[in-house]
Amino acid sequence: MEWIVVLLGIGLIAGAIGSVIGLGGGIIIVPALLFFSTNTDILDGITPQVAVGVSTVIMIFTGLSSTLAYMKHKTVDYKSGLIFFAGCGPGGIIGAYANKALDLHAFNVYFGSFVILVSIILMIKDRLKPLTLKENVKIKKTFVDKEGNEHTYGFNPITAIIISFAVGFCSGIFGIGGGSLIVPTMILLFLFPPHVAVATSMFIVFLSSFTNSITHITLGNVNWPYAFALIPGAWFGAKIGAFINTKLKSATLVNFLRILLLFIGLRLIIQGING
């Protein structure tokens, strides 16, 4: 029973953190699974491929739970989400196959470096000023928030697909959902309102995780008992995170997450180098 309780807790925390910021939760699940597998007797047989495969399956439920919650607040931009998914989907499938070539040590170094990159993005994103919306963008939209403020944002589909392909590749190879990169991109490059960016990101996470998980299932990368134990926590955690996102400013959680990810990333790199 101990491993079930641990996995429920991991799923709950990952779902809540992933949903409130739009990360998807995989950036917590993957290192947590690897930690408990290599440093305790609670979980057994977790290779990088299994950790990523399980995380990708969980992201389906985290993404769906968050999307359903955000739908009630009408902050999901479905058309934009589908355009970004046109890049994320194929990128994720290729990333899932690329994951096969990584052993535990190489995975720890690469994933640790990626986690530190996400931490740096979270540190600097509030200090970066969004670009000015170009007049020649193919898709331009307007969003009116609850205070009645009007936000205009837009993008060119080709640019969005190219960027989301790279994000999808990272999602497939690391099992992280992709929101950690796509949300800052939406806000800084395409001027998405933050709440719309987070909500639409979770919609993209749901779609891309669905295609990625099929690839990982085909490759035999999913430990189903562990996945089933994670799902309830991730589902309810995502709902809690979506609720927090609509009620509170997430600055405190973001600050905590920056430090946590930096620590996780450095630890993974050291583990990978020292073997």
Side-chain angles (χ1 to χ4, degrees):
M1 289 296 295
E2 187 178 16
W3 64 272
I4 296 178
V5 174
V6 168
L7 291 174
L8 282 171
I10 292 173
L12 187 69
I13 294 170
I17 292 176
S19 179
V20 77
I21 309 176
L23 297 180
I27 206 162
I28 302 296
I29 290 176
V30 173
L33 292 178
L34 292 175
F35 172 82
F36 280 101
S37 177
T38 57
N39 295 279
T40 72
D41 297 326
I42 298 175
L43 302 179
D44 297 318
I46 304 265
T47 64
Q49 287 72 30
V50 171
V52 170
V54 170
S55 175
T56 304
V57 171
I58 303 309
M59 290 306 96
I60 296 175
F61 296 91
T62 303
L64 178 59
S65 177
S66 300
T67 300
L68 292 175
Y70 286 127
M71 283 172 61
K72 298 177 182 178
H73 302 281
K74 299 181 179 180
T75 51
V76 182
D77 185 339
Y78 300 102
K79 181 178 179 180
S80 297
L82 289 172
I83 292 173
F84 277 85
F85 172 66
C88 279
I93 293 172
I94 295 174
Y97 279 99
N99 174 270
K100 293 193 302 180
L102 299 178
D103 60 20
L104 179 60
H105 305 310
F107 181 85
N108 280 342
V109 172
Y110 291 131
F111 187 59
S113 301
F114 179 80
V115 169
I116 290 175
L117 172 63
V118 173
S119 177
I120 293 172
I121 290 173
L122 289 175
M123 289 179 185
I124 66 174
K125 71 180 182 67
D126 293 334
R127 297 182 181 139
L128 298 176
K129 294 183 179 180
L131 300 177
T132 303
L133 186 64
K134 296 180 180 179
E135 293 296 327
N136 61 345
V137 293
K138 298 284 182 63
I139 295 177
K140 185 182 290 187
K141 296 200 167 190
T142 300
F143 173 75
V144 180
D145 60 26
K146 290 187 292 186
E147 287 75 32
N149 300 314
E150 187 174 285
H151 305 268
T152 301
Y153 63 98
F155 56 91
N156 287 313
I158 299 300
T159 304
I161 290 172
I162 291 172
I163 292 173
S164 59
F165 178 87
V167 171
F169 180 81
C170 293
S171 174
I173 199 170
F174 295 132
I176 46 83
S180 52
L181 297 178
I182 208 72
V183 170
T185 299
M186 286 177 162
I187 294 173
L188 297 174
L189 295 186
F190 305 135
L191 276 69
F192 275 68
H195 287 306
V196 176
V198 171
T200 306
S201 167
M202 295 310 298
F203 176 56
I204 299 168
V205 165
F206 165 63
L207 295 177
S208 59
S209 296
F210 194 86
T211 55
N212 292 355
S213 66
I214 293 175
T215 306
H216 281 289
I217 291 170
T218 303
L219 294 172
N221 292 343
V222 180
N223 182 313
W224 288 107
Y226 289 171
F228 287 134
L230 281 162
I231 287 170
W235 178 270
F236 289 106
K239 287 189 175 296
I240 293 170
F243 175 79
I244 294 173
N245 178 277
T246 59
K247 298 297 181 181
L248 301 173
K249 291 184 178 180
S250 56
T252 302
L253 182 59
V254 171
N255 288 332
F256 169 74
L257 189 62
R258 290 168 181 165
I259 299 171
L260 177 63
L261 292 180
L262 190 61
F263 172 78
I264 291 173
L266 290 173
R267 189 179 185 282
L268 287 169
I269 292 173
I270 293 171
Q271 274 189 324
I273 292 174
N274 292 337

